[in-house]
């Protein structure tokens, strides 16, 4: 091969493999919204980065540090968007985050305004994407927000076309996807449009690496399980580089019990969900740490097979979910949704282990040896067990 052709091929290969590694497994990190909401500052984000390192979260896999809504200031005469007074220097913030071995995420909207009524990217997509790349951005959450007004308008103008508004939305998401790609920097592209019009069907084609499947989570057991258990049937749309996103974690925010947070983490890892902690990392209890940093739970979420789990069966107040893992193993989540202690069981033959298999209890961190037939567990109200079953 001619020398220059060889160099060209090597460069193209490096670029392609950098892109193919984007979100090869569900992204893990921290996002400012669930705890700090519109009050977030540069100092909060730096201390979250520090805490990711000092708590061991970074080494457990939580590497994205994502600033959500309300960092934006105003655009200048050239259309350049400046951060507001709470974020004096985004490039310096990115450098700080990167110096800790972490990645930097940011938030915008295809609309003129974000959900917090700050400046969105409408009409400035290419300019904003270039600026993100200059700041060293590694992750963009792109939230529909005021673009819903544009959709409403076009719907009213074309009452006979049922697809007109969704087509407009998809085009807007494609525009930013193309702008990010054109920067040449691998940036995880996260769609946030609340699961409207099945983004799992059209998201991957426009370069999305994840897409929210529902409206917002909050720190309550009712909302968390309504979202989590409604994910049944979506597993076929997830895979390396493209993931369903049932929203960020609430573990550590204080309004659920430890058993309820255990259900939250168990369900999210079975769903191969992005694991974006949403708590104040400087104030984590030992229980929060052991839920968020359980190595086996994280390994289930991040398994190289890249398969999302799904519901095996549901009966009254209990639910059994399974997720295929590499090496012919299966992760099993047993969930007690009732208000009292219950036995929840799974027939190991039904998940492919007719002559039994070895079972590991993830939360007890214990190998239970060879088990066969029906495996039962007594679970507290709103509790969960998580198992890894293998040959
Ligand atoms: C919502 C979004 C939340 C958060 C918030 C910020 O639309 O679902 O996750 O980003 O906007 O304003």
């Amino acid at each position: 091969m001619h020398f220059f052709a060889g160099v060209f091929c090597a460069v193209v290969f490096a670029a392609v493999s950098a892109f193919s590694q984007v979100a090869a497994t569900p992204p893990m990190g921290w996002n400012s919204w669930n705890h700090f909401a519109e009050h977030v500052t540069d100092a909060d984000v730096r201390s979250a980065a520090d805490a990711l390192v000092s708590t061991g979260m970074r080494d457990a896999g939580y590497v994205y540090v994502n600033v959500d809504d309300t960092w934006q200031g105003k655009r200048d005469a050239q259309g350049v968007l400046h951060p507001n007074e709470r974020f004096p220097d985004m490039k310096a913030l990115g450098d700080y985050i990167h110096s800790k071995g972490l990645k930097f995420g940011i938030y915008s909207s295809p609309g003129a305004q974000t959900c917090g009524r700050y400046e969105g990217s409408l009409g400035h997509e290419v300019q904003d994407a270039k600026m993100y790349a200059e700041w060293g951005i590694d992750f963009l959450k792109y939230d529909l927000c005021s673009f819903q007004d544009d959709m409403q308008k076009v719907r009213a103008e074309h009452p006979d076309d049922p697809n007109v508004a969704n087509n407009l939305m998809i085009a807007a998401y494609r525009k930013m996807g193309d702008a990010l790609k054109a920067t040449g920097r691998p940036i995880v592209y996260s769609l946030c449009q609340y699961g409207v019009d099945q983004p799992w069907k059209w998201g991957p084609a426009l370069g999305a690496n994840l897409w929210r499947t529902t409206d917002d989570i909050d720190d309550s057991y009712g909302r968390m399980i309504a979202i989590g258990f409604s994910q049944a049937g979506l597993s076929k749309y997830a895979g390396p580089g493209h993931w369903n996103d049932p929203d960020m974690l609430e573990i550590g925010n204080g309004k659920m019990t430890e058993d309820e947070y255990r259900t939250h983490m168990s369900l999210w890892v079975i769903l191969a969900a992005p694991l974006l902690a949403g708590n104040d990392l400087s104030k984590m209890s030992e229980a929060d740490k052991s839920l968020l940093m359980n190595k086996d739970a994280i390994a289930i979420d991040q398994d190289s097979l890249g398969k999302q789990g799904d519901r095996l069966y549901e009966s009254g107040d209990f639910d059994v979910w399974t997720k295929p893992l590499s090496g012919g193993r299966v992760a099993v989540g047993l969930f007690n949704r009732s208000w009292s202690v219950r036995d929840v069981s799974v027939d190991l033959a039904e998940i492919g282990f007719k002559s039994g298999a070895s079972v590991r209890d993830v939360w007890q961190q214990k190998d239970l040896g060879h088990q066969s037939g029906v495996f039962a567990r007594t679970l507290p109200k709103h509790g969960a067990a998580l198992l890894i079953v293998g040959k």
Side-chain angles (χ1 to χ4, degrees):
M1 192 186 291
H2 188 279
F3 174 73
F4 289 109
V7 170
F8 177 74
C9 286
V11 169
V12 169
F13 177 74
V16 168
S17 52
F19 273 104
S20 63
Q21 278 156 19
V22 172
T25 59
M28 293 175 65
W30 174 86
N31 173 293
S32 60
W33 187 254
N34 285 355
H35 177 76
F36 291 100
E38 70 275 21
H39 307 295
V40 66
T41 65
D42 176 282
D44 296 330
V45 177
R46 285 173 190 251
S47 78
D50 294 344
L52 283 172
V53 178
S54 64
T55 57
M57 295 264 293
R58 177 196 63 188
D59 294 342
Y62 293 86
V63 293
Y64 287 96
V65 180
N66 294 352
V67 181
D68 206 277
D69 201 359
T70 74
W71 62 267
Q72 309 87 335
K74 296 282 165 235
R75 290 191 188 275
D76 63 23
Q78 281 69 47
V80 177
L81 178 57
H82 295 272
N84 62 40
E85 61 291 348
R86 282 178 286 118
F87 288 89
D89 186 339
M90 289 306 243
K91 170 84 173 76
L93 177 58
D95 289 347
Y96 184 78
I97 289 169
H98 289 138
S99 76
K100 305 250 153 190
L102 296 162
K103 292 170 184 273
F104 185 21
I106 206 161
Y107 167 104
S108 189
S109 169
Q113 286 192 319
T114 67
C115 293
R117 300 275 162 224
Y118 285 66
E119 193 74 23
S121 291
L122 184 68
H124 296 274
E125 295 81 0
V126 171
Q127 190 172 25
D128 286 359
K130 277 194 188 140
M131 181 179 71
Y132 300 152
E134 281 157 21
W135 288 349
I137 292 294
D138 305 296
F139 186 118
L140 172 69
K141 172 174 171 183
Y142 208 43
D143 193 356
L144 195 60
C145 304
S146 79
F147 198 80
Q148 290 168 108
D149 301 341
D150 303 63
M151 291 166 69
Q152 196 48 44
K153 204 164 144 226
V154 82
R155 218 176 261 128
E157 285 163 7
H158 302 273
D160 302 333
D161 185 347
N163 299 321
V164 68
N166 285 335
N167 289 343
L168 190 72
M169 169 180 68
I170 292 169
Y173 276 105
R174 175 167 291 118
K175 195 178 265 181
M176 183 51 96
D178 290 347
L180 292 176
K181 240 178 265 154
T183 67
R185 186 177 172 86
I187 298 176
V188 173
Y189 187 28
S190 160
L191 311 191
C192 178
Q193 47 78 270
Y194 335 117
V196 180
D197 200 34
Q198 306 184 309
W200 42 89
K201 291 195 173 156
W202 48 264
L206 51 84
N209 302 110
L210 50 148
W211 44 83
R212 280 269 297 277
T213 52
T214 71
D215 215 332
D216 292 17
I217 195 166
D218 62 38
D219 190 15
S220 70
Y221 178 72
R223 182 70 191 139
M224 182 273 292
I225 60 160
I227 289 179
F229 291 120
S230 74
Q231 305 300 294
L234 291 182
S235 58
K236 58 177 172 290
Y237 299 105
H242 53 99
W243 306 102
N244 290 304
D245 174 10
D247 208 356
M248 302 170 291
L249 297 169
E250 291 284 4
I251 294 164
N253 280 332
K255 297 209 176 100
M256 289 188 236
T257 65
E258 189 180 333
D259 285 323
E260 292 171 341
Y261 283 140
R262 185 169 296 109
T263 289
H264 189 6
M265 187 70 177
S266 303
L267 197 43
W268 261 236
V269 302
I270 288 273
L271 293 170
L275 298 179
L276 294 172
N279 55 322
D280 180 354
L281 299 174
S282 66
K283 299 196 177 71
M284 284 210 284
S285 69
E286 287 310 310
D288 301 335
K289 286 185 193 164
S290 64
L291 287 172
L292 286 167
M293 285 192 274
N294 180 296
K295 283 199 165 61
D296 291 318
I298 291 172
I300 291 172
D301 184 78
Q302 298 287 301
D303 186 76
S304 57
L305 201 57
K307 295 249 187 236
Q308 178 173 334
D310 222 316
R311 175 178 273 140
L312 180 67
Y313 51 75
E314 160 183 41
S315 165
D317 281 332
F318 74 75
D319 243 284
V320 179
W321 288 59
T322 57
K323 177 186 195 286
L325 300 177
S326 53
R329 298 162 309 143
V330 177
V332 181
L334 305 174
F335 300 97
N336 172 14
R337 288 188 273 113
S338 80
W339 287 84
S340 50
V341 177
R342 285 280 160 85
D343 282 350
V344 182
S345 58
V346 61
D347 183 348
L348 298 181
E350 212 181 311
I351 59 168
F353 300 99
K354 289 207 170 56
S355 35
S358 67
V359 175
R360 179 165 175 80
D361 186 310
V362 168
W363 296 121
Q364 290 183 357
Q365 287 287 280
K366 220 156 95 188
D367 288 325
L368 305 179
H370 188 88
Q371 307 279 327
S372 57
V374 173
F375 180 94
R377 212 355 104 69
T378 303
L379 295 176
K381 85 167 192 196
H382 299 173
L386 192 56
L387 311 170
I388 296 175
V389 184
K391 295 213 164 80

